[in-house]
Amino acid sequence: MPREAEPSLNERQFILQALQENLRLDGREFDQYRPLELTFGDQYGVADVTLGKTRVLAKASAEVTVPYVDRPLDGIFNIATELSPMASPAFEVGRPTETEVLISRLLEKTVRRSGALDTESLCLVAGQKVWSVRVDVHVLSHDGNLIDAACFAVVSALRHFRKPDTSMESGILTVYTPAEREPVALSWLHSPFCVTWSYFGDEGEIALLDATWREEQVRAGSCTISLNRHGEICQIAKLGGTPVEAVTLLQCTNTALTKVQEFSAFLDRKLAEDIKRRDKGGLMAELSAENDR
Amino acid sequence: MPLDTSAYSLALLRVDGRRWNELRRIHAQIRTQAAADGSSYLEMGHTKVMCVVTGPSEPGPRRGTTGGAAAGASKAAAEVAVSVVVAGFSSVDRKKRGRGDKRNLELQSTISNALAASLHTHLFPHSVIQVSLHVLSQDGSLLAALINAATLACVDAGIPMTDYVVACTAGSTSTYAAGDESADPLLDLNHQEEQELPGLTVATLGETDRVAVLVCESRVQVGRLEGMLAVGVDGCKQVREILDRVVREKGKRMVLEGTVVKGEGLEDMDLD
Amino acid sequence: MASTQHVLLSPAELAYLHEALSLTPPIRPDGRAPMQFRPLVAETEILPGTNGSARICFADGTEAIVGVKAEVERTRGYHGDEQEEGGEEEEEGGEERREGEREGQGEWVELTVEIPGYRDDDAGTAFLAAMLSEALLADGRFAKKLWISRRFHWKLFLDILLISPPLSYPLPLLSLTTHLALLSTRLPRLKSEGDEDPFFDDDWAAAPYLYPQGTTTTRPPITLLVMAVGRNIIFDPSKEELAVADVVLAVSVGEAATNSASTKGKGKAIGGMDIDSAAAQPGRSLRLLSVRTVDPPSRVTPPGMPNATNSAYGVAVSVQKQPEARTVEAQAVEGVWKAPRGGAKPAVMAALVQKVLERGGVADEVLDALEAVELG
């Protein structure tokens, strides 16, 4: 199995020493994110997120299928994460590494289990036909903080996504093409975002936001906090690593909340811009189904 | 079946009759298995787990476990390889969880990383500490029970460590939707409470306030976190005391039985 | 299947072991008599969340836990059941089943073995599970106990967990633990009658045991491991002893119901044949359920063997190139033990089986000991 190159002892010490002196390699503040960019594709439901050199593409899609037997009224919602060798030589196809498993679990907990998407609204005919919404996450370039970028991409893609409109008339279900009827947005309840802290030092006293890959390699521990802008925690995962003071964790959570509110505002602005761009001629019908939340 | 929380506000008693800050009965044993380097058995209420530690030993051929913090990375420290087997008969309905199950992998990786931070793995370069955990019965607080059992087994195996890694769960009395400020924090959730109420698992390093593991999987207001965390950290201290007593009592018995020689500098140790 | 991984023993150690075990009486490394079992600690009904459970700890430190869970399941293939899959009605050749005739099916029992560090689809694990379930179902009477009505039956899940690392071949340990777990298994008392949807008595204290207490006629089978070195027969071999075994047998023994003691005569057993022979003797009559040969590790090519002498590598070519290698291998060297080639003699096999079934023999003794384990 190919392995990631380890930073040398000198590099390691240099990074840590600099952090002790309140300096980051790229000159950022400790709680500063790298420039975040979001581009929507021409198609609905494609979001391309770059965070410094990290780049993640998420694509949402939907199809009609049969629901699970034990949940006849719920649609199906899946997030598929695959780290391909494109992002880093240490990733292999078909052999999930620990990183991959943890990322997919985090996305699952943040977006799916927190109930961001109303799966009941995906039901077409109870017990027979439901929408199956699927988001594929592709990591195009890996330079640290995959989780935050991936989560932002997933939420953006889903918010941007439009599924074909349907109608039920005398027991006949019709799915309209985009030409016939304007596709509709998903029933979205809240937008959770991940914020990952990295801890350095023996006591985990130095906390960084948005660590680069080099920083991630030398960090002593990390904690991912998922919140929405209403101040609801969707998930917290500090899976081992150097113990950190409980008070620090609380402070981290509060800082994370302000970051999440920034993310949320940023995404709303981008979505509004995108709608304007698509509505250039003013010919398109006003999408009243757009959810305010 | 939804949990009836209405009764709580009346008598301030939970479904199983505990007060908000009460732990369930913790029963622990160490050195349960003669052949293992370290072993333990732990009950937190009806959650029952067993742990066997082998090592530190020379790494054998790779087996079906996920490596820990230093998975294949540095040879300068021992690798903590954890495997968790959830017995099919452990839950109410029989369920078979495969080894590739993501939840299981996450548990394994969490336990491994938490232990690696406390164990002095740098003393055993090029070696593996194999921790295998068996879940015999589940009634909430699974991760906490697993971490506690693993810590005890590592103590039994004589692997040097900074302090015990102890864990417990904490929750809040009302669901996330209810915005009432009067919500009480709860200590040590059972399965029923875990299903219905927001909660988190905290693991701390010994008696300090330093948190090694913090896992929250439910939606909860950010304001509730502080209360839950405080109760959880406090619970961890109680757990540490209980585990410490178990270790000391076993040690005492072994000295009295003559299985081990009393260490030097322990003349003042109380043997009665 | 190899019964253990290779034990790292030097040729001299192997020779010493073999020599010691071939003496009359054999001298075993742990000082046991040839017929002696390892001391064990056993307890039952340790897990209130299961229908039955048991734990056994052998003195060498190996430990196993077995939990039994039962679920009510709809019997497949029962015709005249309209509730199931509305339109799909299968006519099974008009086969009429008489009312009250109980029929059991092997698939009503699901048995899984979990060994730490091994994948669950590992050949060794699968083989262990197959051997254990085969012994259980061999008499054809076990599955009948799970019959509820013509439409429903119990599905029994046996989860066998080896807690310790597999220090010795775990088959006897797992089998004994399963035996105890099944003895302690209780199923809720049926309150409904006939073919209506079954409902059960809530009172766990009233739940009858799967194997009724007090009667010795029906008990779950046990599987014992027997090996032969030269003319000596050794029970419950340890890992080291297995390393020099000439032949290893896994023998499953059940108790014959007293009325069905047939006198078919003792059968000779060759790998994997079920033989129905009863030792028609007064007292406990044992019934041989199955015999399987287990490959001792000596049958496996040892690590570090040059390809030239490895028959699995294509000897034909290499022998011509290095004719001396062949002769070196065949020569007996003083103080070095070589794994025997070829199969075991039928007489040895017969003696092994005979020894298990003997009255007052090991199987008898083990069953007596397990009987002494208090339930509850």
Side-chain angles (χ1 to χ4, degrees):
Chain A
M1 193 173 77
R3 278 222 317 258
E4 199 70 51
E6 293 278 310
S8 69
L9 217 57
N10 283 343
E11 265 180 297
R12 190 178 284 269
Q13 264 172 357
F14 179 70
I15 296 172
L16 294 177
Q17 183 75 36
L19 285 175
Q20 296 285 357
E21 295 167 17
N22 286 329
L23 284 171
R24 273 176 96 161
L25 283 197
D26 45 12
R28 275 185 290 153
E29 296 293 319
F30 279 9
D31 60 350
Q32 192 186 349
Y33 264 81
R34 287 170 286 179
L36 175 67
E37 272 171 50
L38 168 65
T39 344
F40 290 114
D42 290 332
Q43 250 182 313
Y44 281 122
V46 179
D48 182 350
V49 171
T50 50
L51 193 60
K53 281 187 200 153
T54 297
R55 187 169 171 198
V56 179
L57 183 89
K59 183 175 188 317
S61 53
E63 59 179 357
V64 179
T65 79
V66 183
Y68 296 122
V69 184
D70 50 338
R71 306 188 141 266
L73 296 175
D74 280 349
I76 300 168
F77 175 36
N78 274 318
I79 303 174
T81 324
E82 196 171 287
L83 301 180
S84 68
M86 179 160 41
S88 155
F91 300 138
E92 264 178 277
V93 180
R95 251 179 53 178
T97 55
E98 208 180 310
T99 338
E100 184 172 336
V101 170
L102 293 184
I103 289 183
S104 73
R105 273 288 289 168
L106 269 171
L107 290 177
E108 166 110 9
K109 283 194 273 187
T110 305
V111 184
R112 210 166 80 110
R113 285 192 41 170
S114 75
L117 178 66
D118 178 15
T119 47
E120 273 180 38
S121 71
L122 298 177
C123 180
L124 296 167
V125 183
Q128 288 176 34
K129 282 185 171 53
V130 293
W131 282 110
S132 162
V133 175
R134 172 194 167 98
V135 189
D136 289 277
V137 180
H138 301 279
V139 176
L140 304 180
S141 161
H142 177 17
D143 187 28
N145 207 6
L146 280 185
I147 292 172
D148 295 7
C151 180
F152 191 76
V154 168
V155 173
S156 311
L158 284 167
R159 291 272 303 268
H160 186 247
F161 183 62
R162 302 285 182 272
K163 67 177 190 311
D165 199 5
T166 53
S167 72
M168 265 299 266
E169 262 173 59
S170 58
I172 296 165
L173 179 78
T174 322
V175 179
Y176 298 100
T177 60
E180 289 169 328
R181 270 196 203 182
E182 187 57 30
V184 293
L186 298 171
S187 159
W188 194 251
L189 300 178
H190 69 119
S191 301
F193 298 98
C194 291
V195 174
T196 302
W197 288 92
S198 300
Y199 298 102
F200 297 82
D202 293 335
E203 307 242 310
E205 66 276 4
I206 302 170
L208 297 190
L209 270 182
D210 188 29
T212 62
W213 176 227
R214 263 288 172 267
E215 287 167 338
E216 277 186 4
Q217 278 179 310
V218 303
R219 74 181 171 194
S222 71
C223 177
T224 302
I225 304 167
S226 310
L227 295 142
N228 59 24
R229 68 189 167 90
H230 311 295
E232 279 171 344
I233 295 171
C234 300
Q235 171 277 129
I236 300 179
K238 183 184 186 310
L239 310 175
T242 292
V244 176
E245 288 292 337
V247 183
T248 318
L249 282 174
L250 287 175
Q251 284 165 358
C252 289
T253 314
N254 290 331
T255 319
L257 181 56
T258 56
K259 291 287 164 198
V260 164
Q261 281 159 348
E262 283 170 31
F263 283 153
S264 203
F266 178 71
L267 177 58
D268 287 345
R269 203 177 69 232
K270 282 284 179 186
L271 281 170
E273 275 173 23
D274 187 66
I275 289 171
K276 210 175 280 172
R277 183 172 66 89
R278 284 171 192 273
D279 204 16
K280 237 175 222 158
L283 296 168
M284 215 167 266
E286 181 59 39
L287 300 173
S288 58
E290 174 73 342
N291 203 318
D292 293 330
R293 272 179 293 187
Chain B
M1 188 174 62
L3 181 63
D4 184 18
T5 46
S6 58
Y8 179 79
S9 54
L10 294 175
L12 295 181
L13 288 175
R14 289 151 70 176
V15 272
D16 48 7
R18 285 181 290 151
R19 304 234 170 244
W20 65 273
N21 61 350
E22 246 179 294
L23 286 172
R24 287 175 290 176
R25 190 182 77 106
I26 295 185
H27 167 78
Q29 274 174 280
I30 61 168
R31 197 153 293 193
T32 50
Q33 199 183 90
D37 291 321
S39 53
S40 66
Y41 171 72
L42 182 108
E43 286 179 15
M44 284 174 91
H46 289 300
T47 301
K48 298 173 185 179
V49 294
M50 271 189 142
C51 181
V52 174
V53 169
T54 317
S57 56
E58 203 179 329
R62 291 292 304 176
R63 287 180 181 170
T65 49
T66 43
S74 61
K75 288 272 187 280
E79 179 191 334
V80 184
V82 178
S83 74
V84 176
V85 175
V86 181
F89 50 77
S90 64
S91 44
V92 177
D93 299 315
R94 187 193 178 274
K95 228 177 281 163
K96 190 90 190 98
R97 234 198 257 172
R99 293 218 175 185
D101 186 70
K102 280 184 180 166
R103 225 176 80 106
N104 225 10
L105 291 175
E106 193 187 37
L107 277 180
Q108 291 178 2
S109 139
T110 307
I111 297 163
S112 154
N113 286 328
L115 286 177
S118 170
L119 297 176
H120 289 211
T121 50
H122 63 274
L123 297 174
F124 311 100
H126 305 278
S127 46
V128 172
I129 300 168
Q130 180 84 39
V131 179
S132 64
L133 287 150
H134 292 264
V135 181
L136 303 180
S137 169
Q138 296 186 66
D139 185 23
S141 306
L142 179 63
L143 176 60
L146 289 172
I147 290 176
N148 292 335
T151 303
L152 278 182
C154 285
V155 171
D156 185 28
I159 303 166
M161 54 169 78
T162 326
D163 204 335
Y164 294 80
V165 183
V166 282
C168 72
T169 50
S172 190
T173 42
S174 52
T175 50
Y176 74 92
D180 56 352
E181 291 302 308
S182 60
D184 266 344
L186 297 174
L187 183 62
D188 195 14
L189 305 182
N190 62 27
H191 178 71
Q192 217 182 350
E193 290 170 329
E194 211 165 58
Q195 293 291 305
E196 298 293 327
L197 302 173
L200 44 79
T201 303
V202 199
T204 62
L205 189 67
E207 282 181 315
T208 61
D209 280 347
R210 292 172 56 201
V211 177
V213 175
L214 178 63
V215 180
C216 169
E217 298 191 335
S218 44
R219 241 166 106 182
V220 62
Q221 285 290 334
V222 89
R224 303 260 182 84
L225 181 66
E226 189 173 349
M228 279 161 52
L229 197 55
V231 169
V233 168
D234 189 61
C236 288
K237 288 176 189 167
Q238 293 180 40
V239 174
R240 186 194 183 275
E241 219 146 272
I242 295 168
L243 298 191
D244 196 46
R245 209 180 309 138
V246 169
V247 172
R248 279 176 199 277
E249 258 160 33
K250 181 73 184 176
K252 207 184 283 175
R253 211 171 322 133
M254 284 166 72
V255 172
L256 287 173
E257 283 167 359
T259 18
V260 285
V261 185
K262 196 168 160 184
E264 278 177 37
L266 290 172
E267 282 74 25
D268 55 336
M269 194 172 127
D270 201 18
L271 291 182
D272 51 350
Chain C
M1 190 202 89
S3 52
T4 40
Q5 326 85 310
H6 276 286
V7 204
L8 289 173
L9 291 173
S10 69
E13 283 169 318
L14 286 172
Y16 169 78
L17 267 172
H18 190 258
E19 194 82 342
L21 291 175
S22 321
L23 295 170
T24 31
I27 299 171
R28 301 177 68 169
D30 47 9
R32 278 186 286 159
M35 300 295 170
Q36 202 180 346
F37 237 73
R38 281 169 285 192
L40 58 87
V41 180
E43 50 181 335
T44 56
E45 288 181 36
I46 48 167
L47 299 166
T50 57
N51 290 70
S53 56
R55 164 179 172 261
I56 289 188
C57 212
F58 271 174
D60 66 350
T62 48
E63 185 180 5
I65 288 183
V66 174
V68 183
K69 276 255 187 201
E71 279 171 16
V72 177
E73 203 181 58
R74 207 176 270 269
T75 307
R76 266 192 299 138
Y78 172 74
H79 46 91
D81 186 355
E82 293 91 341
Q83 273 167 285
E84 196 183 25
E85 287 138 43
E88 201 178 311
E89 274 189 39
E90 289 168 39
E91 292 297 328
E92 284 183 6
E95 179 199 341
E96 281 295 315
R97 283 185 205 164
R98 268 187 295 123
E99 185 69 33
E101 186 189 340
R102 293 171 164 228
E103 279 187 24
Q105 287 168 20
E107 63 193 52
W108 293 357
V109 181
E110 197 179 308
L111 188 142
T112 54
V113 176
E114 190 87 52
I115 293 177
Y118 286 84
R119 291 157 55 90
D120 31 13
D121 55 352
D122 187 89
T125 320
F127 191 67
L128 276 172
M131 272 201 281
L132 289 167
S133 59
E134 170 188 271
L136 196 59
L137 299 170
D139 62 355
R141 270 175 292 160
F142 179 69
K144 279 186 199 159
K145 290 174 187 290
L146 304 174
W147 190 89
I148 296 174
S149 67
R150 285 196 296 163
R151 286 168 49 215
F152 291 93
H153 63 88
W154 287 107
K155 170 118 185 177
L156 213 60
F157 296 96
L158 283 123
D159 287 286
I160 303 174
L161 259 67
L162 186 68
I163 303 287
S164 59
L167 297 172
S168 56
Y169 194 53
L171 182 64
L173 172 68
L174 300 184
S175 157
L176 297 189
T177 321
T178 312
H179 175 93
L180 279 183
L182 282 171
L183 272 186
S184 75
T185 300
R186 298 155 85 173
L187 297 173
R189 199 164 61 87
L190 189 68
K191 273 173 111 178
S192 56
E193 285 169 2
D195 281 349
E196 57 183 295
D197 281 4
F199 64 95
F200 299 94
D201 197 344
D202 286 349
D203 188 6
W204 180 242
Y209 283 94
L210 187 62
Y211 284 91
Q213 302 264 288
T215 54
T216 46
T217 46
T218 53
R219 309 190 70 201
I222 54 170
T223 306
L224 299 173
L225 208 57
V226 205
M227 67 172 239
V229 175
R231 300 217 60 82
N232 285 332
I233 294 170
I234 293 167
F235 275 86
D236 190 26
S238 69
K239 193 181 198 174
E240 291 78 19
E241 288 165 339
L242 276 176
V244 295
D246 289 342
V247 55
V248 183
L249 282 189
V251 185
S252 301
V253 182
E255 266 176 281
T258 34
N259 55 353
S260 71
S262 57
T263 46
K264 281 188 189 169
K266 239 139 271 160
K268 272 177 286 171
I270 299 158
M273 282 220 306
D274 288 5
I275 289 170
D276 200 345
S277 80
Q281 286 156 331
R284 173 178 284 125
S285 55
L286 295 174
R287 205 171 121 101
L288 183 65
L289 295 174
S290 71
V291 175
R292 276 191 184 271
T293 52
V294 175
D295 266 354
S298 56
R299 297 250 184 254
V300 185
T301 313
M305 182 187 238
N307 288 339
T309 53
N310 186 351
S311 55
Y313 200 76
V315 167
V317 191
S318 48
V319 165
Q320 287 172 347
K321 281 182 191 158
Q322 290 172 287
E324 70 278 12
R326 190 88 185 146
T327 46
V328 166
E329 198 215 1
Q331 258 168 17
V333 182
E334 178 70 26
V336 175
W337 175 74
K338 283 225 175 61
R341 299 200 153 211
K345 291 191 177 67
V348 176
M349 295 289 230
L352 285 171
V353 176
Q354 168 89 57
K355 212 69 174 174
V356 176
L357 294 173
E358 230 170 35
R359 199 172 159 228
V362 175
D364 223 359
E365 197 182 311
V366 170
L367 281 169
D368 277 340
L370 290 175
E371 217 162 284
V373 176
E374 250 177 63
L375 289 180

